[in-house]
């Protein structure tokens, strides 16, 4: 993907602004099955990312991803900070290892997903952000090159969030609730969807 110089900044700005705009919803979701800090955690992290927007926009995409990852690790906190941080740092590392976009998009995204899984010792089906990230990875693998890939990623993410409702959490704070975690959207799945939708909407508007 030959990103226009201002496209990287637009993508990062949109992702951060959407997380911030949806912070109250993320908090409400985490109040139901966690400790109610996911919105505040993500807002703090993405405000820090926004504060570095000019520097990030001047970097190559792989370096920008790593800067975002490090910033999130330092500022988000909770379980989700190291997990999102790992995602972006691993994706940046993969891209730096001579991977090219869009051809290697699934591989780069997959490196991020693999890092979340390794760090969280988690798999899909455990009611976490992986329940959005893994289905999106599968869509990227299966449907690469399709003209409607952006729309397919967006709908995959939305449908995957809904599928976390009947799941019982077996990782993270929500797992302390046992069967009482059933019947709620997972906050991290929802924040992953917010981020993915922001990226999809921005790329689509620039096509
Ligand atoms: P905390 O649970 O420490 O309060 P947050 O509220 O910011 O942190 O983030 C909670 C989200 O993190 C969950 O909704 C879930 O999606 C994700 N999460 C928690 N533990 C794991 C894990 N082991 N693997 C993947 N994702 C996880
Ligand atoms: Mg929490």
């Amino acid at each position: 993907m030959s990103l226009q110089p201002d496209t990287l900044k637009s993508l990062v700005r949109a992702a951060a602004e959407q997380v911030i705009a949806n912070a109250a919803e993320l908090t409400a979701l985490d109040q139901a099955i966690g400790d109610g800090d996911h919105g505040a955690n993500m807002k703090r992290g993405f405000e820090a990312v926004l504060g570095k927007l000019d520097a990030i926009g001047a970097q190559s995409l792989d370096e920008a991803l790593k800067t975002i990852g490090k910033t999130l690790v330092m500022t988000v906190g909770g379980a989700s900070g190291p997990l999102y941080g790992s995602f972006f740092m691993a994706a940046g590392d993969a891209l730096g290892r001579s991977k090219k976009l869009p051809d290697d998009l699934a591989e780069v995204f997959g490196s991020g997903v693999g890092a979340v899984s390794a760090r969280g010792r988690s798999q899909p089906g455990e009611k976490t952000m992986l329940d959005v990230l893994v289905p999106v990875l599968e869509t990227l693998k299966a449907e690469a090159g399709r003209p409607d890939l952006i729309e397919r990623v967006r709908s995959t993410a939305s449908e995957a969030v809904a599928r976390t409702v009947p799941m019982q959490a077996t990782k993270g704070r929500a797992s302390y609730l046992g069967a009482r975690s059933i019947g709620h959207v997972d906050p991290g799945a929802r924040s992953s969807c917010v981020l993915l939708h922001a990226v999809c909407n921005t790329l689509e508007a620039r096509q």
Side-chain angles (χ1 to χ4, degrees):
M1 191 184 300
S2 55
L3 283 184
Q4 301 291 327
D6 59 338
T7 301
L8 172 57
K9 263 174 97 168
S10 300
L11 286 169
V12 176
R13 188 188 291 113
E17 286 178 351
Q18 282 304 304
V19 166
I20 293 165
N22 286 280
E25 184 203 343
L26 298 176
T27 288
L29 295 175
D30 199 34
Q31 278 165 346
I33 58 168
D35 57 356
D37 65 352
H38 190 54
N41 289 346
M42 295 295 283
K43 182 168 182 278
R44 189 170 56 246
F46 279 91
E47 280 172 348
V49 168
L50 272 186
K52 296 184 186 173
L53 190 60
D54 286 337
I56 289 170
Q59 290 181 313
S60 59
L61 185 53
D62 61 311
E63 289 299 335
L65 289 167
K66 287 187 248 184
T67 301
I68 292 167
K70 286 179 203 156
T71 305
L72 296 178
V73 168
M74 287 189 294
T75 56
V76 174
S80 57
L83 293 166
Y84 275 123
S86 301
F87 178 91
F88 285 101
M89 288 191 289
D93 278 341
L95 198 55
R97 287 195 302 271
S98 74
K99 298 293 171 211
K100 296 271 175 291
L101 295 183
D103 291 359
D104 300 322
L105 177 59
E107 210 175 322
V108 169
F109 192 86
S111 296
V113 175
V116 173
S117 175
R119 175 125 209 161
R121 296 193 183 83
S122 42
Q123 303 294 328
E126 296 186 295
K127 198 178 181 100
T128 72
M129 59 179 73
L130 281 179
D131 290 305
V132 165
L133 298 176
V134 168
V136 166
L137 174 60
E138 281 159 9
T139 292
L140 290 177
K141 281 182 186 161
E143 306 189 25
R146 271 180 57 159
D148 61 345
L149 182 63
I150 290 176
E151 180 50 36
R152 295 288 303 124
V153 166
R154 197 162 35 208
S155 56
T156 298
S158 300
E159 288 158 18
V161 170
R163 282 199 304 271
T164 66
V165 173
M167 291 180 185
Q168 177 169 335
T170 56
K171 287 282 153 56
R173 281 179 197 277
S175 66
Y176 307 158
L177 292 181
R180 282 185 293 132
S181 65
I182 295 171
H184 302 274
V185 164
D186 175 64
R190 177 68 187 131
S191 58
S192 291
C193 181
V194 167
L195 286 166
L196 285 157
H197 278 218
V199 168
C200 287
N201 295 345
T202 305
L203 288 175
E204 199 170 52
R206 288 182 161 255
Q207 270 179 346

